[in-house]
Amino acid sequence: MEYLGEQQLMAPSVRLCSHPLHFLIHFLLMISWTPAWTQRAARLQLTYKDLQLSNSSVIFLGSRNTSSFQTLLLDEDRGWLLAGAKNYIFLLRLDNLNDNPHKIYWPAAKDHVEHCKLAGKNEETECANFVRLLQHFNKTHVYACGTGAFHPLCTYIDLGRSTEKPVVHLIPHLLESGRGKCPFSPEESFTALLTTEGLYAGTSVDFMGTNAAIFRTTVQGRNQHYIRTEANQDNWLNDPQFIGSFSIPDTRSPDDDKIYLFFKEMAVESNQWDKRIFSRVARVCKNDVGGKRSLINRWTTFLKARLVCSVPGPNGMETYFDELEDIFLLETRDEQNPLIFGVFSASGSVFKGSAVCVYSMASIRAVFNGPFAHRESLDYRWVEYKGRIPYPRPGTCPSETYDPLHKSTQDFPDDVISFMRSHQLMWEVVYPLNRKPVFMKAGGPFLLKKLVVDRVDAEDGQYDVMYLGTDEGKILKVITIPKQDWSTEEIILEEISVFQKPSPIVNMEISTKRQLLYVSTVSELAQVSLHRCELYGKACADCCLARDPYCAWDGSLCTRYFPTNKRRARRQDVKHGDPRSQCHDLEEGFEAVEDKVMYGVEMNSTYLECIPRSHQAMLKWTVQHPRNDHVKEVKSDERFIHLEQGLLIRLLEKSDAGIYSCLAEENSFSHTLVRYHLRIIEQEYVGAQQSQVGGATGEMGRAIVNPPTLGQLQMFYKDYTQLKSISGMSADEYCDQLWYREKRKQKLRNFKWKQTVDNRKGRLRRHPGQERDGPAA
Ligand SMILES: *[C@@H]1O[C@H](CO)[C@@H](O)[C@H](O)[C@H]1NC(C)=O
Ligand SMILES: *[C@@H]1O[C@H](CO)[C@@H](O)[C@H](O)[C@H]1NC(C)=O
Ligand SMILES: *[C@@H]1O[C@H](CO)[C@@H](O)[C@H](O)[C@H]1NC(C)=O
Ligand SMILES: *[C@@H]1O[C@H](CO)[C@@H](O)[C@H](O)[C@H]1NC(C)=O
């Protein structure tokens, strides 16, 4: 069932235009194929350069000779960012990464590097100390672990007490083994959480990375105590990849405090012939100390459930996004009920895409309180467990106040312990809020890898602004707006290219206090502002159409919106983005319209450029001819070709002269962006000029004699491909506009006939050799 669903969503409905020149069209389709399930483009697309020019991003310059900025630790109170890299830990100012950075050199021991190389590992990318863990230990110290060239080690960094003049140094005599705390490999996915009871970590504990487990180890303890998941038992963990871990209280009683872990693994419960990966949420009690006679040093409260992120399709079929990529915990006022945001991917052979799902703690707890999954033996299928459940219910934390007989997990009766040996998996699955993703990106050129979320107060409510890091070094800034009929509207406010080189985003941290995002790839680290309101435009309507909860019109500029200052002048409408309701003086609400004079040559073509700031605006053109008051819309036909960023007029006629206005329509609101006064120069005049100059060689706007020859058509397609790079129009839209079905046959006839005549008469106004230029030239 699930697979059918996947196919249904990916099936593209591309209408192929079957023109005699279809090989050309096919070529164009190849380069700009888009599936049916597309989404509106990001309203604002910012390049690396745009960010730099607007001062809204700072690239950390001290990154030369270092790499792998895998681990970031924020200290909001003292204004520090710690960045763990290969052989280094950087201590940077949150306000400006390049302001007097400090670094600590922490290489792997020489003999470990040698041993690592002898074992066949790569010297550059594996046999070094990759810092994988940085966590606050106490007011002055940070706990740090690194791979130590496949020999993990942990220690403390003293940051001192002063915020102004830090004394950063490693404490070498406190170096301890990182086994069960930190992975051996820089590649392995990993999670860890330092608490007062010790360090919880999902990691492997061997050179091969095959023996992965969830550990709790003591830190800085003389008596090294640990507790873990059972090794080599598929029903506990089956080739897991760990994503995140959080401490979330379940009730007011500290006895109930649990650690929730998120990971993905090979699904034991899916069909054994079909190896699938499922995402999981698991939990253990903080006060679990293992069993007494059995399950010694093993979790006695470990439970896990499947985390589902899927899109319901028609006929009850679902498309599943099975692979968890990242998880973010959005704190709310209720400490027990944060919102859990997960970004998932589906990377099957037929369907690729990403989705963000949001889960409530209530739905996660309900599944852990529900039925257990059960398997009679290895040859049986997993079913719902319907037998007797021992007391206390497996998975409950021991609590003396609740039951004096069960002070500790070592007091659990034998039937509870033996039940826990084989019933880690819950039967029900955890569904997201509203049973569907809050955001989806399918068929796109990139996958989503990381996310952080900021809850923002706007004039018309609260919005959870999601920052989604892609595998191409971009960040999408997204909000979801609930509609009256339970549906939602997803808006990509911005698509930001943070770095010059596209490279997957490996880590992101958000400072809500400073309104900054810290973003790293393997080779770079940057800070990016959460908002740049001034880039939306210099008019009230521009600001309002942006629908950015961070920004509002203050009467003269688009600036940061603060909900606390209740000045009436602030205009913002995130829900509807309707300037009519917000901007009183619409005429003056926009920047002055640009007036341009254009000269076109009769029978030549001309391009009237009009680039809307918003990628969601649609362009409409009107024309007013001289000595005629009537303003009419320019309809598209073979001569007037509407492109996303302008109007192409082919084979200009004298009567085309006039005033052309470009209107941007967005959210059923339109305004004029630019006006062209088009004047036509007669052909004879140019002909005389041209014979002197020796003909035009420009690629764009070449004269095309009607009906065109094959060579000219090819040239025109070449024009189109160049044009496309600036206009972004898709090939099928182009087909629609250029080739009307009813005219096709007639055209073909004319075309062939005229071509033979033209060739015979040798009347081609082109350079020799141009005819051979194919579309791929
Ligand atoms: C960016 O910062 C530089 C130096 O601080 C300043 O000169 C420039 O005007 C700023 N640009 C913008 C767009 O704010
Ligand atoms: C960086 O590496 C280059 C060559 O790999 C070396 O010449 C240079 O001294 C290094 N710089 C620092 C600051 O380590
Ligand atoms: C923090 O922990 C370190 C390492 O155990 C210790 O040396 C230091 O005194 C502690 N600092 C405070 C303020 O507790
Ligand atoms: C046609 O227009 C383009 C610019 O739009 C110009 O470069 C070219 O010289 C013109 N061709 C003729 C024959 O005038």
Side-chain angles (χ1 to χ4, degrees), residues 43 460 536 538-548 552-553 558 569-591 614 617 664-672:
R43 192 172 181 277
D460 57 3
Y536 288 125
K538 293 194 175 67
C540 174
D542 287 329
C543 193
C544 181
L545 282 168
R547 305 174 76 178
D548 188 327
W553 182 250
C558 192
R570 305 290 282 161
R571 307 197 181 284
Q572 188 194 51
D573 178 16
V574 179
K575 207 152 274 163
H576 310 101
D578 183 5
R580 274 163 298 217
S581 69
Q582 302 295 315
C583 308
H584 296 314
D585 206 341
L586 280 183
E587 290 309 308
E588 287 165 33
F590 282 107
E591 291 166 56
S614 162
E665 271 192 350
E666 186 172 7
N667 223 351
S668 68
F669 180 82
S670 87
H671 69 279
T672 309

Short mmCIF file of all heavy atoms in Angstrom, two decimals, residues 43 460 536 538-548 552-553 558 569-591 614 617 664-672:
data_model
loop_
_atom_site.label_atom_id
_atom_site.label_comp_id
_atom_site.label_asym_id
_atom_site.label_seq_id
_atom_site.Cartn_x
_atom_site.Cartn_y
_atom_site.Cartn_z
N ARG A 43 9.73 33.50 -1.83
CA ARG A 43 9.38 34.84 -2.28
C ARG A 43 10.62 35.67 -2.54
O ARG A 43 10.72 36.38 -3.53
CB ARG A 43 8.51 35.53 -1.22
CG ARG A 43 7.87 36.77 -1.76
CD ARG A 43 6.87 37.36 -0.82
NE ARG A 43 6.31 38.54 -1.44
CZ ARG A 43 6.89 39.73 -1.41
NH1 ARG A 43 8.02 39.89 -0.79
NH2 ARG A 43 6.33 40.75 -2.01
N ASP A 460 -0.80 39.68 14.25
CA ASP A 460 -2.00 38.86 14.18
C ASP A 460 -1.80 37.45 14.73
O ASP A 460 -2.46 36.52 14.33
CB ASP A 460 -2.54 38.82 12.74
CG ASP A 460 -1.52 38.29 11.75
OD1 ASP A 460 -0.41 37.90 12.17
OD2 ASP A 460 -1.83 38.25 10.55
N TYR A 536 12.83 43.89 1.67
CA TYR A 536 11.52 43.63 1.06
C TYR A 536 11.06 44.79 0.19
O TYR A 536 10.19 44.62 -0.65
CB TYR A 536 10.47 43.34 2.14
CG TYR A 536 10.65 41.99 2.78
CD1 TYR A 536 10.78 41.86 4.16
CD2 TYR A 536 10.72 40.84 2.01
CE1 TYR A 536 10.96 40.62 4.75
CE2 TYR A 536 10.90 39.60 2.59
CZ TYR A 536 11.02 39.49 3.96
OH TYR A 536 11.19 38.26 4.53
N LYS A 538 10.86 49.45 -0.32
CA LYS A 538 10.82 50.75 0.34
C LYS A 538 9.40 51.28 0.46
O LYS A 538 9.19 52.47 0.64
CB LYS A 538 11.66 51.75 -0.46
CG LYS A 538 13.13 51.42 -0.46
CD LYS A 538 13.95 52.60 -0.95
CE LYS A 538 15.43 52.34 -0.85
NZ LYS A 538 15.87 51.28 -1.79
N ALA A 539 8.41 50.40 0.31
CA ALA A 539 7.04 50.86 0.35
C ALA A 539 6.21 50.00 1.29
O ALA A 539 6.54 48.85 1.55
CB ALA A 539 6.44 50.82 -1.05
N CYS A 540 5.14 50.58 1.78
CA CYS A 540 4.26 49.88 2.71
C CYS A 540 3.74 48.58 2.11
O CYS A 540 3.74 47.53 2.75
CB CYS A 540 3.10 50.80 3.10
SG CYS A 540 1.86 50.00 4.11
N ALA A 541 3.31 48.65 0.85
CA ALA A 541 2.74 47.45 0.22
C ALA A 541 3.77 46.33 0.08
O ALA A 541 3.46 45.16 0.30
CB ALA A 541 2.16 47.82 -1.14
N ASP A 542 5.01 46.69 -0.25
CA ASP A 542 6.08 45.69 -0.35
C ASP A 542 6.27 44.98 0.98
O ASP A 542 6.45 43.76 1.04
CB ASP A 542 7.41 46.37 -0.71
CG ASP A 542 7.45 46.82 -2.16
OD1 ASP A 542 6.80 46.16 -2.99
OD2 ASP A 542 8.13 47.82 -2.44
N CYS A 543 6.27 45.76 2.03
CA CYS A 543 6.50 45.23 3.38
C CYS A 543 5.35 44.31 3.79
O CYS A 543 5.56 43.26 4.37
CB CYS A 543 6.63 46.40 4.34
SG CYS A 543 7.28 45.97 5.95
N CYS A 544 4.16 44.74 3.44
CA CYS A 544 2.97 43.98 3.81
C CYS A 544 2.87 42.67 3.03
O CYS A 544 2.55 41.62 3.57
CB CYS A 544 1.76 44.86 3.55
SG CYS A 544 0.23 44.09 3.97
N LEU A 545 3.18 42.74 1.73
CA LEU A 545 3.12 41.54 0.89
C LEU A 545 4.15 40.49 1.31
O LEU A 545 3.99 39.31 1.04
CB LEU A 545 3.35 41.91 -0.58
CG LEU A 545 2.18 42.55 -1.32
CD1 LEU A 545 2.64 43.13 -2.64
CD2 LEU A 545 1.08 41.52 -1.56
N ALA A 546 5.22 40.95 1.98
CA ALA A 546 6.28 40.02 2.39
C ALA A 546 5.77 38.99 3.40
O ALA A 546 6.23 37.87 3.43
CB ALA A 546 7.45 40.79 2.97
N ARG A 547 4.82 39.37 4.23
CA ARG A 547 4.19 38.49 5.23
C ARG A 547 5.21 37.90 6.20
O ARG A 547 5.06 36.77 6.67
CB ARG A 547 3.40 37.38 4.55
CG ARG A 547 2.37 37.94 3.57
CD ARG A 547 1.69 36.85 2.79
NE ARG A 547 0.70 36.14 3.59
CZ ARG A 547 -0.06 35.16 3.12
NH1 ARG A 547 0.06 34.78 1.89
NH2 ARG A 547 -0.93 34.56 3.89
N ASP A 548 6.26 38.66 6.46
CA ASP A 548 7.29 38.19 7.37
C ASP A 548 6.93 38.63 8.80
O ASP A 548 6.83 39.83 9.06
CB ASP A 548 8.64 38.81 6.95
CG ASP A 548 9.81 38.22 7.71
OD1 ASP A 548 9.62 37.88 8.91
OD2 ASP A 548 10.90 38.10 7.14
N ALA A 552 7.54 44.87 9.88
CA ALA A 552 6.32 45.66 9.74
C ALA A 552 6.67 47.03 9.17
O ALA A 552 7.82 47.45 9.22
CB ALA A 552 5.63 45.81 11.09
N TRP A 553 5.66 47.69 8.63
CA TRP A 553 5.82 49.03 8.06
C TRP A 553 5.66 50.04 9.19
O TRP A 553 4.64 50.04 9.87
CB TRP A 553 4.78 49.25 6.96
CG TRP A 553 4.90 50.57 6.28
CD1 TRP A 553 4.03 51.62 6.37
CD2 TRP A 553 5.95 50.97 5.39
NE1 TRP A 553 4.48 52.65 5.60
CE2 TRP A 553 5.66 52.29 4.99
CE3 TRP A 553 7.11 50.36 4.92
CZ2 TRP A 553 6.47 53.00 4.13
CZ3 TRP A 553 7.92 51.06 4.05
CH2 TRP A 553 7.60 52.38 3.67
N CYS A 558 10.35 49.57 6.11
CA CYS A 558 10.02 48.21 6.53
C CYS A 558 11.08 47.82 7.56
O CYS A 558 12.26 47.70 7.24
CB CYS A 558 10.07 47.26 5.33
SG CYS A 558 9.35 45.65 5.64
N ALA A 569 1.01 52.84 14.49
CA ALA A 569 1.50 53.05 13.14
C ALA A 569 2.05 51.78 12.50
O ALA A 569 2.19 51.71 11.29
CB ALA A 569 2.55 54.13 13.13
N ARG A 570 2.36 50.75 13.29
CA ARG A 570 2.96 49.54 12.74
C ARG A 570 1.97 48.77 11.89
O ARG A 570 0.90 48.41 12.36
CB ARG A 570 3.48 48.65 13.88
CG ARG A 570 4.43 49.35 14.81
CD ARG A 570 5.75 49.63 14.16
NE ARG A 570 6.57 48.42 14.13
CZ ARG A 570 7.60 48.27 13.31
NH1 ARG A 570 7.90 49.21 12.46
NH2 ARG A 570 8.32 47.17 13.34
N ARG A 571 2.34 48.50 10.66
CA ARG A 571 1.40 47.82 9.76
C ARG A 571 1.98 46.47 9.32
O ARG A 571 3.07 46.39 8.79
CB ARG A 571 1.11 48.68 8.55
CG ARG A 571 0.66 50.04 8.97
CD ARG A 571 -0.03 50.81 7.89
NE ARG A 571 -0.39 52.12 8.42
CZ ARG A 571 -1.40 52.31 9.26
NH1 ARG A 571 -2.16 51.29 9.61
NH2 ARG A 571 -1.66 53.50 9.73
N GLN A 572 1.20 45.45 9.58
CA GLN A 572 1.65 44.09 9.27
C GLN A 572 0.43 43.20 9.12
O GLN A 572 -0.55 43.38 9.84
CB GLN A 572 2.52 43.59 10.44
CG GLN A 572 3.21 42.29 10.18
CD GLN A 572 3.77 41.69 11.46
OE1 GLN A 572 3.06 41.56 12.44
NE2 GLN A 572 5.04 41.30 11.43
N ASP A 573 0.45 42.29 8.16
CA ASP A 573 -0.67 41.38 7.96
C ASP A 573 -0.12 40.05 7.46
O ASP A 573 -0.11 39.77 6.27
CB ASP A 573 -1.65 41.99 6.94
CG ASP A 573 -2.83 41.07 6.64
OD1 ASP A 573 -3.06 40.13 7.41
OD2 ASP A 573 -3.50 41.31 5.63
N VAL A 574 0.38 39.24 8.40
CA VAL A 574 1.01 37.98 8.03
C VAL A 574 -0.04 37.02 7.45
O VAL A 574 0.20 36.34 6.47
CB VAL A 574 1.73 37.34 9.23
CG1 VAL A 574 2.36 36.02 8.85
CG2 VAL A 574 2.76 38.30 9.79
N LYS A 575 -1.20 37.01 8.06
CA LYS A 575 -2.22 36.04 7.68
C LYS A 575 -2.67 36.20 6.23
O LYS A 575 -2.76 35.22 5.49
CB LYS A 575 -3.41 36.14 8.63
CG LYS A 575 -4.18 34.85 8.77
CD LYS A 575 -4.87 34.72 10.11
CE LYS A 575 -3.96 34.14 11.17
NZ LYS A 575 -4.38 34.34 12.52
N HIS A 576 -2.93 37.44 5.81
CA HIS A 576 -3.48 37.63 4.46
C HIS A 576 -2.53 38.37 3.52
O HIS A 576 -2.69 38.27 2.32
CB HIS A 576 -4.80 38.38 4.52
CG HIS A 576 -5.77 37.79 5.50
ND1 HIS A 576 -5.98 38.31 6.75
CD2 HIS A 576 -6.52 36.67 5.42
CE1 HIS A 576 -6.87 37.55 7.39
NE2 HIS A 576 -7.20 36.54 6.61
N GLY A 577 -1.59 39.10 4.05
CA GLY A 577 -0.68 39.86 3.21
C GLY A 577 -1.41 40.82 2.29
O GLY A 577 -1.10 40.94 1.12
N ASP A 578 -2.42 41.50 2.84
CA ASP A 578 -3.25 42.37 2.00
C ASP A 578 -2.91 43.83 2.23
O ASP A 578 -3.28 44.41 3.25
CB ASP A 578 -4.72 42.10 2.33
CG ASP A 578 -5.63 42.91 1.44
OD1 ASP A 578 -5.11 43.59 0.51
OD2 ASP A 578 -6.85 42.89 1.66
N PRO A 579 -2.21 44.47 1.29
CA PRO A 579 -1.81 45.87 1.49
C PRO A 579 -3.03 46.81 1.55
O PRO A 579 -2.95 47.86 2.16
CB PRO A 579 -0.98 46.19 0.25
CG PRO A 579 -0.69 44.89 -0.40
CD PRO A 579 -1.77 43.95 0.00
N ARG A 580 -4.15 46.42 0.93
CA ARG A 580 -5.32 47.30 0.94
C ARG A 580 -5.80 47.58 2.36
O ARG A 580 -6.30 48.65 2.66
CB ARG A 580 -6.46 46.69 0.13
CG ARG A 580 -6.35 47.03 -1.35
CD ARG A 580 -7.19 46.10 -2.17
NE ARG A 580 -6.72 44.73 -2.01
CZ ARG A 580 -6.71 43.85 -2.99
NH1 ARG A 580 -7.12 44.19 -4.19
NH2 ARG A 580 -6.28 42.63 -2.79
N SER A 581 -5.64 46.56 3.23
CA SER A 581 -6.12 46.76 4.59
C SER A 581 -5.09 47.49 5.46
O SER A 581 -5.41 47.93 6.54
CB SER A 581 -6.44 45.39 5.22
OG SER A 581 -5.24 44.69 5.42
N GLN A 582 -3.86 47.55 4.99
CA GLN A 582 -2.79 48.08 5.84
C GLN A 582 -2.25 49.42 5.37
O GLN A 582 -1.84 50.24 6.19
CB GLN A 582 -1.62 47.08 5.89
CG GLN A 582 -2.00 45.72 6.39
CD GLN A 582 -2.45 45.75 7.83
OE1 GLN A 582 -1.83 46.39 8.67
NE2 GLN A 582 -3.56 45.09 8.12
N CYS A 583 -2.16 49.59 4.07
CA CYS A 583 -1.49 50.77 3.55
C CYS A 583 -2.55 51.73 3.03
O CYS A 583 -3.22 51.45 2.04
CB CYS A 583 -0.54 50.38 2.43
SG CYS A 583 0.58 49.07 2.93
N HIS A 584 -2.74 52.86 3.73
CA HIS A 584 -3.84 53.75 3.40
C HIS A 584 -3.65 54.39 2.04
O HIS A 584 -4.53 54.42 1.22
CB HIS A 584 -3.98 54.82 4.48
CG HIS A 584 -4.34 54.22 5.77
ND1 HIS A 584 -5.33 53.26 5.89
CD2 HIS A 584 -3.82 54.39 7.02
CE1 HIS A 584 -5.43 52.88 7.15
NE2 HIS A 584 -4.50 53.55 7.85
N ASP A 585 -2.48 54.91 1.84
CA ASP A 585 -2.26 55.65 0.62
C ASP A 585 -1.52 54.77 -0.37
O ASP A 585 -0.31 54.78 -0.46
CB ASP A 585 -1.46 56.91 0.94
CG ASP A 585 -1.73 57.98 -0.07
OD1 ASP A 585 -2.22 57.62 -1.16
OD2 ASP A 585 -1.45 59.14 0.22
N LEU A 586 -2.29 53.96 -1.10
CA LEU A 586 -1.65 52.96 -1.95
C LEU A 586 -0.84 53.58 -3.07
O LEU A 586 0.21 53.07 -3.44
CB LEU A 586 -2.71 52.03 -2.53
CG LEU A 586 -3.16 50.94 -1.57
CD1 LEU A 586 -4.15 50.03 -2.24
CD2 LEU A 586 -1.97 50.15 -1.07
N GLU A 587 -1.32 54.68 -3.62
CA GLU A 587 -0.60 55.29 -4.73
C GLU A 587 0.80 55.70 -4.30
O GLU A 587 1.78 55.43 -4.97
CB GLU A 587 -1.35 56.53 -5.25
CG GLU A 587 -2.63 56.19 -5.97
CD GLU A 587 -2.42 55.14 -7.05
OE1 GLU A 587 -1.52 55.33 -7.89
OE2 GLU A 587 -3.13 54.12 -7.04
N GLU A 588 0.85 56.35 -3.13
CA GLU A 588 2.14 56.80 -2.65
C GLU A 588 2.87 55.67 -1.93
O GLU A 588 4.03 55.81 -1.58
CB GLU A 588 1.96 57.98 -1.69
CG GLU A 588 1.58 59.24 -2.44
CD GLU A 588 1.04 60.30 -1.49
OE1 GLU A 588 1.52 60.34 -0.35
OE2 GLU A 588 0.16 61.07 -1.90
N GLY A 589 2.13 54.60 -1.70
CA GLY A 589 2.71 53.49 -0.94
C GLY A 589 3.81 52.77 -1.68
O GLY A 589 4.52 51.96 -1.12
N PHE A 590 3.96 53.05 -2.95
CA PHE A 590 4.99 52.35 -3.72
C PHE A 590 6.07 53.29 -4.18
O PHE A 590 5.89 54.50 -4.25
CB PHE A 590 4.36 51.69 -4.94
CG PHE A 590 3.66 50.43 -4.59
CD1 PHE A 590 2.29 50.36 -4.58
CD2 PHE A 590 4.40 49.32 -4.23
CE1 PHE A 590 1.66 49.19 -4.23
CE2 PHE A 590 3.76 48.15 -3.89
CZ PHE A 590 2.39 48.09 -3.88
N GLU A 591 7.17 52.70 -4.52
CA GLU A 591 8.25 53.48 -5.07
C GLU A 591 7.80 54.07 -6.41
O GLU A 591 6.96 53.48 -7.08
CB GLU A 591 9.47 52.58 -5.30
CG GLU A 591 10.09 52.11 -4.02
CD GLU A 591 11.07 50.99 -4.26
OE1 GLU A 591 12.00 51.19 -5.06
OE2 GLU A 591 10.89 49.93 -3.65
N SER A 614 9.68 40.00 -5.71
CA SER A 614 9.12 38.77 -5.19
C SER A 614 9.03 37.71 -6.28
O SER A 614 8.57 37.98 -7.38
CB SER A 614 7.72 39.04 -4.66
OG SER A 614 7.02 37.83 -4.53
N ALA A 617 5.35 36.96 -7.45
CA ALA A 617 4.54 37.90 -8.21
C ALA A 617 4.38 37.41 -9.64
O ALA A 617 5.29 36.81 -10.21
CB ALA A 617 5.20 39.28 -8.20
N ALA A 664 2.98 44.00 -11.44
CA ALA A 664 3.23 42.80 -10.64
C ALA A 664 1.97 42.49 -9.87
O ALA A 664 1.41 43.36 -9.19
CB ALA A 664 4.37 43.05 -9.68
N GLU A 665 1.50 41.26 -10.03
CA GLU A 665 0.30 40.84 -9.31
C GLU A 665 0.68 39.82 -8.28
O GLU A 665 1.31 38.82 -8.59
CB GLU A 665 -0.70 40.20 -10.29
CG GLU A 665 -1.62 41.19 -10.90
CD GLU A 665 -2.77 40.52 -11.63
OE1 GLU A 665 -2.75 39.29 -11.82
OE2 GLU A 665 -3.68 41.24 -12.02
N GLU A 666 0.32 40.09 -7.03
CA GLU A 666 0.63 39.14 -5.97
C GLU A 666 -0.49 39.21 -4.96
O GLU A 666 -0.89 40.30 -4.54
CB GLU A 666 1.96 39.52 -5.30
CG GLU A 666 2.42 38.51 -4.29
CD GLU A 666 3.83 38.79 -3.77
OE1 GLU A 666 4.39 39.83 -4.12
OE2 GLU A 666 4.33 37.94 -3.02
N ASN A 667 -1.00 38.04 -4.60
CA ASN A 667 -2.02 38.02 -3.57
C ASN A 667 -3.23 38.88 -3.99
O ASN A 667 -3.76 39.64 -3.20
CB ASN A 667 -1.41 38.60 -2.29
CG ASN A 667 -1.80 37.78 -1.08
OD1 ASN A 667 -2.67 36.91 -1.18
ND2 ASN A 667 -1.18 38.05 0.03
N SER A 668 -3.62 38.78 -5.26
CA SER A 668 -4.69 39.55 -5.90
C SER A 668 -4.54 41.06 -5.70
O SER A 668 -5.50 41.79 -5.56
CB SER A 668 -6.08 39.07 -5.43
OG SER A 668 -6.28 39.39 -4.09
N PHE A 669 -3.31 41.48 -5.67
CA PHE A 669 -3.02 42.90 -5.54
C PHE A 669 -1.99 43.24 -6.61
O PHE A 669 -1.04 42.48 -6.81
CB PHE A 669 -2.42 43.15 -4.15
CG PHE A 669 -2.07 44.57 -3.91
CD1 PHE A 669 -3.04 45.47 -3.51
CD2 PHE A 669 -0.78 45.01 -4.07
CE1 PHE A 669 -2.72 46.78 -3.29
CE2 PHE A 669 -0.45 46.33 -3.85
CZ PHE A 669 -1.42 47.22 -3.46
N SER A 670 -2.23 44.34 -7.35
CA SER A 670 -1.27 44.60 -8.41
C SER A 670 -0.78 46.03 -8.40
O SER A 670 -1.49 46.94 -7.97
CB SER A 670 -1.86 44.23 -9.77
OG SER A 670 -2.56 45.32 -10.29
N HIS A 671 0.45 46.21 -8.84
CA HIS A 671 0.97 47.56 -8.96
C HIS A 671 2.01 47.61 -10.07
O HIS A 671 2.60 46.59 -10.43
CB HIS A 671 1.54 48.07 -7.63
CG HIS A 671 2.78 47.37 -7.21
ND1 HIS A 671 2.78 46.14 -6.60
CD2 HIS A 671 4.09 47.74 -7.31
CE1 HIS A 671 4.00 45.79 -6.34
NE2 HIS A 671 4.83 46.72 -6.75
N THR A 672 2.22 48.83 -10.61
CA THR A 672 3.11 48.99 -11.75
C THR A 672 4.56 49.04 -11.29
O THR A 672 4.89 49.75 -10.34
CB THR A 672 2.77 50.29 -12.49
OG1 THR A 672 1.37 50.29 -12.74
CG2 THR A 672 3.53 50.39 -13.80
#
